[in-house]
mmCIF file of all heavy atoms in Angstrom:
data_model
loop_
_atom_site.group_PDB
_atom_site.id
_atom_site.type_symbol
_atom_site.label_atom_id
_atom_site.label_comp_id
_atom_site.label_asym_id
_atom_site.label_seq_id
_atom_site.Cartn_x
_atom_site.Cartn_y
_atom_site.Cartn_z
ATOM 1 N N LEU A 1 8.894 -4.583 -7.425
ATOM 2 C CA LEU A 1 8.394 -3.360 -6.801
ATOM 3 C C LEU A 1 7.432 -3.699 -5.665
ATOM 4 O O LEU A 1 7.480 -3.085 -4.590
ATOM 5 C CB LEU A 1 7.704 -2.475 -7.839
ATOM 6 C CG LEU A 1 7.198 -1.124 -7.377
ATOM 7 C CD1 LEU A 1 8.359 -0.244 -6.930
ATOM 8 C CD2 LEU A 1 6.418 -0.458 -8.486
ATOM 9 N N GLY A 2 6.596 -4.693 -5.893
ATOM 10 C CA GLY A 2 5.668 -5.129 -4.853
ATOM 11 C C GLY A 2 6.391 -5.686 -3.645
ATOM 12 O O GLY A 2 5.993 -5.437 -2.497
ATOM 13 N N ALA A 3 7.461 -6.436 -3.870
ATOM 14 C CA ALA A 3 8.239 -6.964 -2.745
ATOM 15 C C ALA A 3 8.846 -5.821 -1.941
ATOM 16 O O ALA A 3 8.878 -5.868 -0.700
ATOM 17 C CB ALA A 3 9.334 -7.898 -3.258
ATOM 18 N N GLY A 4 9.299 -4.785 -2.612
ATOM 19 C CA GLY A 4 9.823 -3.610 -1.917
ATOM 20 C C GLY A 4 8.754 -2.917 -1.097
ATOM 21 O O GLY A 4 8.999 -2.500 0.036
ATOM 22 N N TYR A 5 7.553 -2.797 -1.654
ATOM 23 C CA TYR A 5 6.440 -2.198 -0.912
ATOM 24 C C TYR A 5 6.074 -3.039 0.309
ATOM 25 O O TYR A 5 5.752 -2.499 1.367
ATOM 26 C CB TYR A 5 5.215 -2.039 -1.802
ATOM 27 C CG TYR A 5 5.148 -0.759 -2.597
ATOM 28 C CD1 TYR A 5 4.351 -0.662 -3.729
ATOM 29 C CD2 TYR A 5 5.865 0.366 -2.230
ATOM 30 C CE1 TYR A 5 4.260 0.496 -4.469
ATOM 31 C CE2 TYR A 5 5.791 1.533 -2.955
ATOM 32 C CZ TYR A 5 4.983 1.601 -4.067
ATOM 33 O OH TYR A 5 4.912 2.753 -4.782
ATOM 34 N N VAL A 6 6.088 -4.355 0.174
ATOM 35 C CA VAL A 6 5.750 -5.227 1.295
ATOM 36 C C VAL A 6 6.769 -5.060 2.423
ATOM 37 O O VAL A 6 6.407 -4.916 3.597
ATOM 38 C CB VAL A 6 5.648 -6.700 0.849
ATOM 39 C CG1 VAL A 6 5.633 -7.638 2.034
ATOM 40 C CG2 VAL A 6 4.417 -6.913 -0.005
ATOM 41 N N VAL A 7 8.037 -5.047 2.082
ATOM 42 C CA VAL A 7 9.083 -4.881 3.092
ATOM 43 C C VAL A 7 8.957 -3.516 3.766
ATOM 44 O O VAL A 7 9.031 -3.411 4.997
ATOM 45 C CB VAL A 7 10.482 -5.065 2.469
ATOM 46 C CG1 VAL A 7 11.574 -4.649 3.427
ATOM 47 C CG2 VAL A 7 10.668 -6.501 2.020
ATOM 48 N N TYR A 8 8.756 -2.483 2.973
ATOM 49 C CA TYR A 8 8.606 -1.133 3.536
ATOM 50 C C TYR A 8 7.374 -1.052 4.432
ATOM 51 O O TYR A 8 7.427 -0.485 5.527
ATOM 52 C CB TYR A 8 8.500 -0.104 2.406
ATOM 53 C CG TYR A 8 8.222 1.283 2.894
ATOM 54 C CD1 TYR A 8 9.233 2.064 3.441
ATOM 55 C CD2 TYR A 8 6.941 1.828 2.814
ATOM 56 C CE1 TYR A 8 8.980 3.344 3.903
ATOM 57 C CE2 TYR A 8 6.677 3.104 3.271
ATOM 58 C CZ TYR A 8 7.694 3.855 3.813
ATOM 59 O OH TYR A 8 7.439 5.119 4.273
ATOM 60 N N GLY A 9 6.260 -1.613 3.970
ATOM 61 C CA GLY A 9 5.033 -1.570 4.752
ATOM 62 C C GLY A 9 5.148 -2.311 6.065
ATOM 63 O O GLY A 9 4.610 -1.876 7.088
ATOM 64 N N ARG A 10 5.854 -3.432 6.058
ATOM 65 C CA ARG A 10 6.036 -4.193 7.306
ATOM 66 C C ARG A 10 6.940 -3.450 8.280
ATOM 67 O O ARG A 10 6.668 -3.405 9.475
ATOM 68 C CB ARG A 10 6.618 -5.563 7.012
ATOM 69 C CG ARG A 10 5.583 -6.514 6.448
ATOM 70 C CD ARG A 10 6.076 -7.905 6.372
ATOM 71 N NE ARG A 10 6.312 -8.385 7.740
ATOM 72 C CZ ARG A 10 7.010 -9.468 8.026
ATOM 73 N NH1 ARG A 10 7.536 -10.177 7.063
ATOM 74 N NH2 ARG A 10 7.177 -9.852 9.257
ATOM 75 N N LYS A 11 8.019 -2.869 7.778
ATOM 76 C CA LYS A 11 8.954 -2.174 8.669
ATOM 77 C C LYS A 11 8.359 -0.892 9.248
ATOM 78 O O LYS A 11 8.627 -0.546 10.392
ATOM 79 C CB LYS A 11 10.251 -1.852 7.937
ATOM 80 C CG LYS A 11 11.112 -3.071 7.703
ATOM 81 C CD LYS A 11 12.452 -2.673 7.129
ATOM 82 C CE LYS A 11 13.266 -3.893 6.852
ATOM 83 N NZ LYS A 11 14.259 -4.141 7.871
ATOM 84 N N GLN A 12 7.568 -0.195 8.449
ATOM 85 C CA GLN A 12 6.978 1.066 8.898
ATOM 86 C C GLN A 12 5.602 0.879 9.535
ATOM 87 O O GLN A 12 5.000 1.862 9.971
ATOM 88 C CB GLN A 12 6.852 2.032 7.714
ATOM 89 C CG GLN A 12 8.163 2.421 7.096
ATOM 90 C CD GLN A 12 9.045 3.194 8.059
ATOM 91 O OE1 GLN A 12 8.573 4.012 8.838
ATOM 92 N NE2 GLN A 12 10.333 2.926 8.005
ATOM 93 N N HIS A 13 5.100 -0.336 9.550
ATOM 94 C CA HIS A 13 3.760 -0.634 10.058
ATOM 95 C C HIS A 13 2.714 0.219 9.351
ATOM 96 O O HIS A 13 1.830 0.797 9.984
ATOM 97 C CB HIS A 13 3.670 -0.440 11.571
ATOM 98 C CG HIS A 13 4.616 -1.305 12.326
ATOM 99 N ND1 HIS A 13 4.426 -2.665 12.459
ATOM 100 C CD2 HIS A 13 5.778 -1.031 12.954
ATOM 101 C CE1 HIS A 13 5.414 -3.174 13.153
ATOM 102 N NE2 HIS A 13 6.267 -2.207 13.468
ATOM 103 N N ALA A 14 2.862 0.298 8.020
ATOM 104 C CA ALA A 14 1.949 1.083 7.193
ATOM 105 C C ALA A 14 1.151 0.125 6.304
ATOM 106 O O ALA A 14 1.729 -0.646 5.532
ATOM 107 C CB ALA A 14 2.731 2.067 6.335
ATOM 108 N N LEU A 15 -0.148 0.188 6.426
ATOM 109 C CA LEU A 15 -1.010 -0.731 5.695
ATOM 110 C C LEU A 15 -1.094 -0.443 4.190
ATOM 111 O O LEU A 15 -1.046 -1.387 3.396
ATOM 112 C CB LEU A 15 -2.409 -0.737 6.316
ATOM 113 C CG LEU A 15 -3.353 -1.822 5.850
ATOM 114 C CD1 LEU A 15 -2.775 -3.194 6.145
ATOM 115 C CD2 LEU A 15 -4.700 -1.649 6.509
ATOM 116 N N PRO A 16 -1.214 0.815 3.730
ATOM 117 C CA PRO A 16 -1.345 1.042 2.287
ATOM 118 C C PRO A 16 -0.184 0.496 1.450
ATOM 119 O O PRO A 16 -0.423 -0.202 0.456
ATOM 120 C CB PRO A 16 -1.469 2.562 2.162
ATOM 121 C CG PRO A 16 -2.011 2.992 3.472
ATOM 122 C CD PRO A 16 -1.427 2.053 4.479
ATOM 123 N N PRO A 17 1.082 0.746 1.795
ATOM 124 C CA PRO A 17 2.154 0.170 0.979
ATOM 125 C C PRO A 17 2.178 -1.353 1.037
ATOM 126 O O PRO A 17 2.467 -2.005 0.034
ATOM 127 C CB PRO A 17 3.436 0.748 1.572
ATOM 128 C CG PRO A 17 3.035 1.870 2.415
ATOM 129 C CD PRO A 17 1.622 1.655 2.802
ATOM 130 N N PHE A 18 1.853 -1.909 2.199
ATOM 131 C CA PHE A 18 1.839 -3.360 2.328
ATOM 132 C C PHE A 18 0.786 -3.984 1.417
ATOM 133 O O PHE A 18 1.072 -4.937 0.686
ATOM 134 C CB PHE A 18 1.584 -3.753 3.786
ATOM 135 C CG PHE A 18 1.570 -5.240 4.003
ATOM 136 C CD1 PHE A 18 2.754 -5.941 4.074
ATOM 137 C CD2 PHE A 18 0.376 -5.928 4.107
ATOM 138 C CE1 PHE A 18 2.748 -7.315 4.258
ATOM 139 C CE2 PHE A 18 0.353 -7.289 4.290
ATOM 140 C CZ PHE A 18 1.549 -7.993 4.369
ATOM 141 N N LEU A 19 -0.428 -3.445 1.444
ATOM 142 C CA LEU A 19 -1.497 -3.992 0.609
ATOM 143 C C LEU A 19 -1.209 -3.798 -0.876
ATOM 144 O O LEU A 19 -1.491 -4.686 -1.692
ATOM 145 C CB LEU A 19 -2.832 -3.354 0.982
ATOM 146 C CG LEU A 19 -3.373 -3.704 2.359
ATOM 147 C CD1 LEU A 19 -4.674 -2.960 2.618
ATOM 148 C CD2 LEU A 19 -3.562 -5.199 2.501
ATOM 149 N N CYS A 20 -0.669 -2.654 -1.243
ATOM 150 C CA CYS A 20 -0.325 -2.422 -2.647
ATOM 151 C C CYS A 20 0.805 -3.348 -3.080
ATOM 152 O O CYS A 20 0.833 -3.802 -4.224
ATOM 153 C CB CYS A 20 0.062 -0.969 -2.875
ATOM 154 S SG CYS A 20 -1.357 0.127 -2.773
ATOM 155 N N GLY A 21 1.725 -3.631 -2.179
ATOM 156 C CA GLY A 21 2.793 -4.573 -2.496
ATOM 157 C C GLY A 21 2.263 -5.965 -2.752
ATOM 158 O O GLY A 21 2.665 -6.636 -3.714
ATOM 159 N N VAL A 22 1.338 -6.412 -1.935
ATOM 160 C CA VAL A 22 0.723 -7.724 -2.154
ATOM 161 C C VAL A 22 -0.039 -7.730 -3.478
ATOM 162 O O VAL A 22 0.042 -8.691 -4.247
ATOM 163 C CB VAL A 22 -0.203 -8.092 -0.969
ATOM 164 C CG1 VAL A 22 -1.021 -9.327 -1.280
ATOM 165 C CG2 VAL A 22 0.611 -8.290 0.295
ATOM 166 N N ALA A 23 -0.751 -6.656 -3.759
ATOM 167 C CA ALA A 23 -1.484 -6.566 -5.023
ATOM 168 C C ALA A 23 -0.534 -6.585 -6.216
ATOM 169 O O ALA A 23 -0.820 -7.228 -7.236
ATOM 170 C CB ALA A 23 -2.333 -5.304 -5.044
ATOM 171 N N LEU A 24 0.611 -5.901 -6.110
ATOM 172 C CA LEU A 24 1.574 -5.887 -7.211
ATOM 173 C C LEU A 24 2.210 -7.255 -7.428
ATOM 174 O O LEU A 24 2.589 -7.595 -8.546
ATOM 175 C CB LEU A 24 2.664 -4.840 -6.953
ATOM 176 C CG LEU A 24 2.267 -3.401 -7.214
ATOM 177 C CD1 LEU A 24 3.340 -2.450 -6.682
ATOM 178 C CD2 LEU A 24 2.030 -3.158 -8.689
ATOM 179 N N ILE A 25 2.327 -8.030 -6.381
ATOM 180 C CA ILE A 25 2.890 -9.372 -6.523
ATOM 181 C C ILE A 25 1.876 -10.319 -7.146
ATOM 182 O O ILE A 25 2.218 -11.151 -7.985
ATOM 183 C CB ILE A 25 3.371 -9.896 -5.157
ATOM 184 C CG1 ILE A 25 4.569 -9.081 -4.681
ATOM 185 C CG2 ILE A 25 3.724 -11.372 -5.228
ATOM 186 C CD1 ILE A 25 4.973 -9.339 -3.246
ATOM 187 N N VAL A 26 0.606 -10.174 -6.787
ATOM 188 C CA VAL A 26 -0.417 -11.133 -7.213
ATOM 189 C C VAL A 26 -1.017 -10.822 -8.583
ATOM 190 O O VAL A 26 -1.304 -11.734 -9.352
ATOM 191 C CB VAL A 26 -1.531 -11.200 -6.137
ATOM 192 C CG1 VAL A 26 -2.713 -12.010 -6.614
ATOM 193 C CG2 VAL A 26 -0.978 -11.772 -4.853
ATOM 194 N N PHE A 27 -1.215 -9.544 -8.920
ATOM 195 C CA PHE A 27 -1.989 -9.229 -10.107
ATOM 196 C C PHE A 27 -1.407 -9.738 -11.422
ATOM 197 O O PHE A 27 -2.186 -10.029 -12.335
ATOM 198 C CB PHE A 27 -2.287 -7.716 -10.189
ATOM 199 C CG PHE A 27 -1.317 -6.931 -11.006
ATOM 200 C CD1 PHE A 27 -1.525 -6.734 -12.356
ATOM 201 C CD2 PHE A 27 -0.198 -6.379 -10.432
ATOM 202 C CE1 PHE A 27 -0.640 -6.002 -13.116
ATOM 203 C CE2 PHE A 27 0.687 -5.652 -11.168
ATOM 204 C CZ PHE A 27 0.471 -5.461 -12.528
ATOM 205 N N PRO A 28 -0.079 -9.875 -11.603
ATOM 206 C CA PRO A 28 0.390 -10.398 -12.893
ATOM 207 C C PRO A 28 -0.079 -11.827 -13.188
ATOM 208 O O PRO A 28 -0.132 -12.228 -14.347
ATOM 209 C CB PRO A 28 1.915 -10.353 -12.779
ATOM 210 C CG PRO A 28 2.181 -9.278 -11.800
ATOM 211 C CD PRO A 28 1.053 -9.376 -10.814
ATOM 212 N N TYR A 29 -0.431 -12.572 -12.163
ATOM 213 C CA TYR A 29 -0.974 -13.915 -12.393
ATOM 214 C C TYR A 29 -2.381 -13.864 -12.949
ATOM 215 O O TYR A 29 -2.842 -14.813 -13.573
ATOM 216 C CB TYR A 29 -0.980 -14.721 -11.085
ATOM 217 C CG TYR A 29 0.391 -15.044 -10.578
ATOM 218 C CD1 TYR A 29 0.909 -14.390 -9.462
ATOM 219 C CD2 TYR A 29 1.174 -16.009 -11.202
ATOM 220 C CE1 TYR A 29 2.173 -14.680 -8.994
ATOM 221 C CE2 TYR A 29 2.444 -16.306 -10.737
ATOM 222 C CZ TYR A 29 2.930 -15.641 -9.629
ATOM 223 O OH TYR A 29 4.181 -15.927 -9.167
ATOM 224 N N LEU A 30 -3.079 -12.782 -12.722
ATOM 225 C CA LEU A 30 -4.481 -12.671 -13.109
ATOM 226 C C LEU A 30 -4.699 -11.896 -14.398
ATOM 227 O O LEU A 30 -5.767 -11.993 -14.996
ATOM 228 C CB LEU A 30 -5.270 -12.003 -11.975
ATOM 229 C CG LEU A 30 -5.131 -12.656 -10.594
ATOM 230 C CD1 LEU A 30 -5.809 -11.799 -9.542
ATOM 231 C CD2 LEU A 30 -5.693 -14.055 -10.612
ATOM 232 N N VAL A 31 -3.730 -11.102 -14.818
ATOM 233 C CA VAL A 31 -3.871 -10.232 -15.980
ATOM 234 C C VAL A 31 -2.992 -10.756 -17.111
ATOM 235 O O VAL A 31 -1.840 -11.114 -16.890
ATOM 236 C CB VAL A 31 -3.461 -8.783 -15.622
ATOM 237 C CG1 VAL A 31 -3.503 -7.880 -16.832
ATOM 238 C CG2 VAL A 31 -4.337 -8.245 -14.525
ATOM 239 N N THR A 32 -3.557 -10.799 -18.313
ATOM 240 C CA THR A 32 -2.771 -11.192 -19.476
ATOM 241 C C THR A 32 -2.587 -9.976 -20.381
ATOM 242 O O THR A 32 -3.450 -9.103 -20.452
ATOM 243 C CB THR A 32 -3.471 -12.314 -20.262
ATOM 244 O OG1 THR A 32 -4.763 -11.856 -20.656
ATOM 245 C CG2 THR A 32 -3.596 -13.561 -19.418
ATOM 246 N N GLY A 33 -1.473 -9.923 -21.057
ATOM 247 C CA GLY A 33 -1.197 -8.827 -21.976
ATOM 248 C C GLY A 33 -0.302 -7.773 -21.357
ATOM 249 O O GLY A 33 -0.459 -7.419 -20.190
ATOM 250 N N GLY A 34 0.619 -7.300 -22.155
ATOM 251 C CA GLY A 34 1.594 -6.326 -21.677
ATOM 252 C C GLY A 34 0.997 -4.981 -21.350
ATOM 253 O O GLY A 34 1.356 -4.364 -20.348
ATOM 254 N N LEU A 35 0.070 -4.516 -22.178
ATOM 255 C CA LEU A 35 -0.509 -3.188 -21.949
ATOM 256 C C LEU A 35 -1.348 -3.161 -20.678
ATOM 257 O O LEU A 35 -1.244 -2.223 -19.873
ATOM 258 C CB LEU A 35 -1.355 -2.757 -23.146
ATOM 259 C CG LEU A 35 -1.974 -1.373 -23.054
ATOM 260 C CD1 LEU A 35 -0.887 -0.317 -22.939
ATOM 261 C CD2 LEU A 35 -2.864 -1.109 -24.241
ATOM 262 N N MET A 36 -2.165 -4.175 -20.478
ATOM 263 C CA MET A 36 -2.976 -4.226 -19.260
ATOM 264 C C MET A 36 -2.096 -4.379 -18.027
ATOM 265 O O MET A 36 -2.379 -3.798 -16.976
ATOM 266 C CB MET A 36 -3.987 -5.369 -19.334
ATOM 267 C CG MET A 36 -5.149 -5.090 -20.255
ATOM 268 S SD MET A 36 -6.033 -3.572 -19.848
ATOM 269 C CE MET A 36 -6.686 -3.980 -18.250
ATOM 270 N N THR A 37 -1.026 -5.147 -18.136
ATOM 271 C CA THR A 37 -0.095 -5.301 -17.023
ATOM 272 C C THR A 37 0.549 -3.958 -16.681
ATOM 273 O O THR A 37 0.663 -3.597 -15.509
ATOM 274 C CB THR A 37 0.985 -6.338 -17.356
ATOM 275 O OG1 THR A 37 0.359 -7.575 -17.684
ATOM 276 C CG2 THR A 37 1.939 -6.550 -16.198
ATOM 277 N N LEU A 38 0.948 -3.231 -17.692
ATOM 278 C CA LEU A 38 1.570 -1.925 -17.480
ATOM 279 C C LEU A 38 0.601 -0.935 -16.850
ATOM 280 O O LEU A 38 0.936 -0.255 -15.871
ATOM 281 C CB LEU A 38 2.105 -1.370 -18.804
ATOM 282 C CG LEU A 38 2.747 0.006 -18.743
ATOM 283 C CD1 LEU A 38 3.995 -0.034 -17.891
ATOM 284 C CD2 LEU A 38 3.066 0.487 -20.140
ATOM 285 N N LEU A 39 -0.608 -0.847 -17.387
ATOM 286 C CA LEU A 39 -1.570 0.129 -16.880
ATOM 287 C C LEU A 39 -2.013 -0.192 -15.457
ATOM 288 O O LEU A 39 -2.036 0.692 -14.593
ATOM 289 C CB LEU A 39 -2.787 0.184 -17.807
ATOM 290 C CG LEU A 39 -2.531 0.740 -19.207
ATOM 291 C CD1 LEU A 39 -3.786 0.631 -20.051
ATOM 292 C CD2 LEU A 39 -2.041 2.163 -19.143
ATOM 293 N N LEU A 40 -2.348 -1.442 -15.204
ATOM 294 C CA LEU A 40 -2.806 -1.811 -13.867
ATOM 295 C C LEU A 40 -1.671 -1.729 -12.846
ATOM 296 O O LEU A 40 -1.865 -1.256 -11.725
ATOM 297 C CB LEU A 40 -3.407 -3.215 -13.888
ATOM 298 C CG LEU A 40 -4.121 -3.671 -12.633
ATOM 299 C CD1 LEU A 40 -5.258 -2.722 -12.279
ATOM 300 C CD2 LEU A 40 -4.646 -5.072 -12.808
ATOM 301 N N GLY A 41 -0.481 -2.159 -13.231
ATOM 302 C CA GLY A 41 0.663 -2.084 -12.327
ATOM 303 C C GLY A 41 1.029 -0.651 -11.977
ATOM 304 O O GLY A 41 1.319 -0.344 -10.823
ATOM 305 N N ALA A 42 1.001 0.216 -12.962
ATOM 306 C CA ALA A 42 1.306 1.629 -12.701
ATOM 307 C C ALA A 42 0.245 2.249 -11.797
ATOM 308 O O ALA A 42 0.565 3.038 -10.899
ATOM 309 C CB ALA A 42 1.405 2.392 -14.012
ATOM 310 N N ALA A 43 -1.013 1.886 -12.006
ATOM 311 C CA ALA A 43 -2.090 2.421 -11.174
ATOM 312 C C ALA A 43 -1.941 1.961 -9.721
ATOM 313 O O ALA A 43 -2.101 2.754 -8.789
ATOM 314 C CB ALA A 43 -3.445 1.993 -11.731
ATOM 315 N N ILE A 44 -1.623 0.697 -9.533
ATOM 316 C CA ILE A 44 -1.454 0.186 -8.164
ATOM 317 C C ILE A 44 -0.209 0.789 -7.516
ATOM 318 O O ILE A 44 -0.197 1.088 -6.326
ATOM 319 C CB ILE A 44 -1.391 -1.354 -8.159
ATOM 320 C CG1 ILE A 44 -2.712 -1.945 -8.629
ATOM 321 C CG2 ILE A 44 -1.032 -1.882 -6.779
ATOM 322 C CD1 ILE A 44 -2.668 -3.441 -8.857
ATOM 323 N N ALA A 45 0.837 0.993 -8.301
ATOM 324 C CA ALA A 45 2.104 1.481 -7.751
ATOM 325 C C ALA A 45 2.003 2.911 -7.226
ATOM 326 O O ALA A 45 2.739 3.280 -6.311
ATOM 327 C CB ALA A 45 3.204 1.393 -8.803
ATOM 328 N N VAL A 46 1.115 3.724 -7.770
ATOM 329 C CA VAL A 46 1.012 5.115 -7.310
ATOM 330 C C VAL A 46 -0.001 5.297 -6.187
ATOM 331 O O VAL A 46 -0.088 6.385 -5.624
ATOM 332 C CB VAL A 46 0.688 6.083 -8.474
ATOM 333 C CG1 VAL A 46 1.780 6.053 -9.515
ATOM 334 C CG2 VAL A 46 -0.662 5.819 -9.063
ATOM 335 N N VAL A 47 -0.749 4.255 -5.851
ATOM 336 C CA VAL A 47 -1.758 4.378 -4.797
ATOM 337 C C VAL A 47 -1.150 4.801 -3.459
ATOM 338 O O VAL A 47 -1.703 5.696 -2.802
ATOM 339 C CB VAL A 47 -2.573 3.076 -4.673
ATOM 340 C CG1 VAL A 47 -3.395 3.048 -3.393
ATOM 341 C CG2 VAL A 47 -3.473 2.904 -5.883
#
């Protein structure tokens, strides 16, 4: 989903989807546990 946001943000020259896409790609490396991954990922995805 983050890769899709990055591609969309680059093509549309829109900063919010691009930054959220980068965050969605990076945050699973920093967060452990399925529930926290789900909650944080869903929160970033709707930004």
